[in-house]
Amino acid sequence: MDFELDTPHQQPGPAGVPPIDFRAALNDEQFAAVTAEPGPLLVLAGAGSGKTRTLTYRVAYLLSQGVRPGEILLLTFTNKAAKEMLHRVQDLTGIEPGRFWGGTFHSIGNRALRMFGDAIGLPKNFTILDADESETLLKQAVESVDKTFFKEKTNPRPGPLFSVLSLARNTQLSIADTVTRNFPQYAEIADQLPAFAAAYAKKKAEDKVTDYDDLLELWLKLLTDTPDVAQYFAHRFRHVLVDEYQDTNTIQAQIVDRLAAHHRVMAVGDDAQCIYSWRGADFENIMTFPDRHPGTVIHRIETNYRSTPEILTFANGVLNAQPKGRHFDKELRAHRKHGQKPAVIQAMDDKEQAAFVLKRIQSLIENEGVSANEIAVLYRSHFLALEMQLALTRAGMPYTITSGVKFFERQHVRDLIAVLNFVYNPANTSAWNRIAILLPKVGEKGASKIYAAALDHAKLMQQNFVDALATDDVASKVPKDAKPDWPNFCASLRQVYDAMNDQKPSDAVEVAIDGWYGDYMKGEYADYTDRVEELKGLIGFASQFTQMSEFLAQIMLLNGETSEKQIDHDQESIKLTTIHQAKGLEYDVVFLIGAAEGQFPGYRTIESGDFEEERRLFYVAVTRAKNELYLSYPRVASRPGPGGMMLQPTRFLQELPNDLYDELRIKRTFGW
């Protein structure tokens, strides 16, 4: 199947399909990559440069050179991406998507294991567990080793425990290292986890089932331990194409290396957009690709069709600040006409920052004709958007949270508010039921029984309801499995009660976070540290109030307004999203809020000293903007951090030449 590529401008298509004029359809950089000679190819496709177009035309070009569809393997990270590319190929060539091997790593792994899994002891009729089934099986495996493990409230529940083991498997790091790097809240039990992982693996083998991660692990094992099968795939797939290569984890990179032993591989990606290490992506995969594939030819696609020259000059400045030798050099070049420079805005606090963004959005929509759908507010962490959500809600501006549910609808936020609501008003049985059923083996009926016993005791003894909970009479109604938690639960509620009566609402919120509910979260959520940060955002919000009644009423009113609105999918709405969720998207106007030290990057990153992924995330944020980019930060923090109350602009702004942006000053009347 070797062939020479003479890169003519026009190539004949398959029988009955008009020839494709590759030269006319592609710019110089894309054309060079699409028509490159077979071999190891690394295509560095900058933001907005037409990555998908390049991959699509590469497939079409190979077909025009006589390569059969079944000899091309296209690996992507979503089925949507694979379908989109292969349908574009069909539009170009007339060849149906079903004739290719194209899809996610996991779907192709499943297909390979169905064919050859028996070579490594996996029956062809194996079944794949969904997330809930995987967690159930893991729970059974853990309890076969330690029956009491899940009874300790700070130990991870099956879901978070699965997340720990999954990340260790995908990164091929030890469980101990994985815990140290990503799940420090489980440091004290790290030595117990390998035995659980072994019991889980044994249980899966006995049941002839796999989980999602096995589709990669066992596929790699198949390619590693069975030379005949490895040879079959290496011979079958004469060309391996990989989309978003910078997002590959350790196993995925090894799979690609083995499938492309013939080195006819094209990896397309952008090292500057590697932002998923917390999910297992390994930055080193793209950086060391040329080392693992000798003779790699690097193609740079740097012409950007998305953003104005001013936005791209700003983005290039972000890239230029990267340490030398730790990235591929690239410079985005604009295809569009000039526009305005990015604007940097210092606000007094979160509230004023939100007011500025709201006023500018209103002007964009009402005076400049910009669609609400084309306006995005980006942020590093959910809690940074709290005031923004409140401002938009008060103004009646429709908005959509594209990175999850609205702040006050997030489960842990609702739980904490329920704690506060119940302590403030023990007659609130809805709040009681929400927090009581978080205790082990306490359902709605059990919660009602405990509540009734406490109510009777409080009336009989003329006692405060919260104090009545801690009495022996009430404790006798608590299920056996919940009894170890009960004293801490009651003591925590009492501490919140004391804080409500003696201190500010913000102090009561902080006490609630630090008490029993904080311990509960350690076991319930793998992303415990992130969720705690979000809850601490409530401390700053609560500091605006002097009375607990005002604070709770405001939350309920705002939450009710946002929850009761029916989402009209045809209605235009402003997009609020984390930067991670915005990757791959673009908007006419982008507001990046919270661009301050301690917020982006956060204090944990500052303490660790590892800023490079955060810098890449900053780059991803600014390259979402097509026409206008605004970066804002509060001067006064909503709550004190390690640096006190006063905030500085993010280092990612400070390291840029100040002629790359304009500084806008907010008048106290919110003019600028």
Side-chain angles (χ1 to χ4, degrees), residues 441-452:
K441 300 296 184 183
V442 176
E444 290 185 8
K445 288 184 179 180
S448 296
K449 287 181 180 179
I450 297 170
Y451 186 89

Side-chain angles (χ1 to χ4, degrees), residues 231-436:
Q231 181 62 30
Y232 168 83
F233 282 117
H235 179 73
R236 171 162 192 156
F237 300 131
R238 305 295 287 171
H239 296 271
V240 178
L241 284 69
V242 190
D243 186 26
E244 301 284 13
Y245 187 79
Q246 78 280 348
D247 292 338
T248 53
N249 62 34
T250 306
I251 295 180
Q252 289 163 332
Q254 291 181 18
I255 287 171
V256 171
D257 290 349
R258 292 187 176 278
L259 289 172
H262 46 58
H263 295 307
R264 289 169 175 248
V265 56
M266 174 184 276
V268 181
D270 183 3
D271 56 298
Q273 296 188 70
C274 182
I275 58 172
Y276 293 115
S277 66
W278 51 275
R279 214 162 62 185
D282 189 347
F283 181 71
E284 294 303 318
N285 290 343
I286 193 167
M287 296 305 299
T288 61
F289 183 89
D291 300 328
R292 302 196 316 279
H293 296 275
T296 292
V297 176
I298 297 177
H299 290 268
R300 288 175 170 80
I301 303 178
E302 300 170 318
T303 302
N304 177 287
Y305 293 88
R306 175 185 299 157
S307 307
T308 61
E310 288 74 14
I311 291 172
L312 294 185
T313 301
F314 186 95
N316 286 330
V318 176
L319 293 186
N320 291 337
Q322 296 177 101
K324 299 300 180 186
R326 289 298 302 135
H327 62 95
F328 290 107
D329 291 332
K330 67 177 71 66
E331 182 176 357
L332 297 176
R333 294 185 298 277
H335 186 72
R336 296 184 53 200
K337 294 179 181 179
H338 286 280
Q340 65 186 49
K341 286 184 181 180
V344 174
I345 303 95
Q346 180 193 94
M348 180 63 69
D349 53 22
D350 289 342
K351 205 167 186 177
E352 187 176 82
Q353 176 179 240
F356 162 76
V357 175
L358 173 63
K359 187 173 179 65
R360 182 65 188 127
I361 286 175
Q362 289 172 327
S363 179
L364 286 164
I365 294 173
E366 296 168 8
N367 303 327
E368 300 175 40
V370 178
S371 166
N373 288 337
E374 286 297 328
I375 300 173
V377 181
L378 308 185
Y379 36 87
R380 176 63 183 88
S381 303
H382 286 287
F383 74 90
L384 296 174
L386 173 56
E387 286 291 348
M388 194 69 247
Q389 291 183 41
L390 300 179
L392 290 169
T393 298
R394 288 167 178 151
M397 298 284 287
Y399 67 94
T400 304
I401 305 286
T402 61
S403 55
V405 297
K406 296 176 180 179
F407 185 86
F408 287 120
E409 293 172 0
R410 288 173 65 75
Q411 186 169 329
H412 54 296
V413 176
R414 292 181 67 189
D415 287 346
L416 190 81
I417 291 171
V419 170
L420 298 169
N421 264 317
F422 168 70
V423 174
Y424 181 74
N425 173 21
N428 187 335
T429 55
S430 295
W432 163 258
N433 287 335
R434 183 172 184 94
I435 61 175

Side-chain angles (χ1 to χ4, degrees), residues 149 154-156 161 179 185-194 196:
F149 181 79
T154 57
N155 285 348
L161 178 58
V179 169
Q185 69 268 32
Y186 303 140
E188 293 182 3
I189 57 156
D191 59 341
Q192 296 176 254
L193 305 189
F196 299 157

Side-chain angles (χ1 to χ4, degrees), residues 138-152 155-156 161 189 191-193 195-196 199:
L138 176 60
K139 182 176 185 292
Q140 294 170 0
V142 169
E143 290 175 341
S144 73
V145 177
D146 182 352
K147 291 182 179 179
T148 65
F149 181 79
F150 292 120
K151 293 183 179 180
E152 173 54 52
N155 285 348
L161 178 58
I189 57 156
D191 59 341
Q192 296 176 254
L193 305 189
F196 299 157

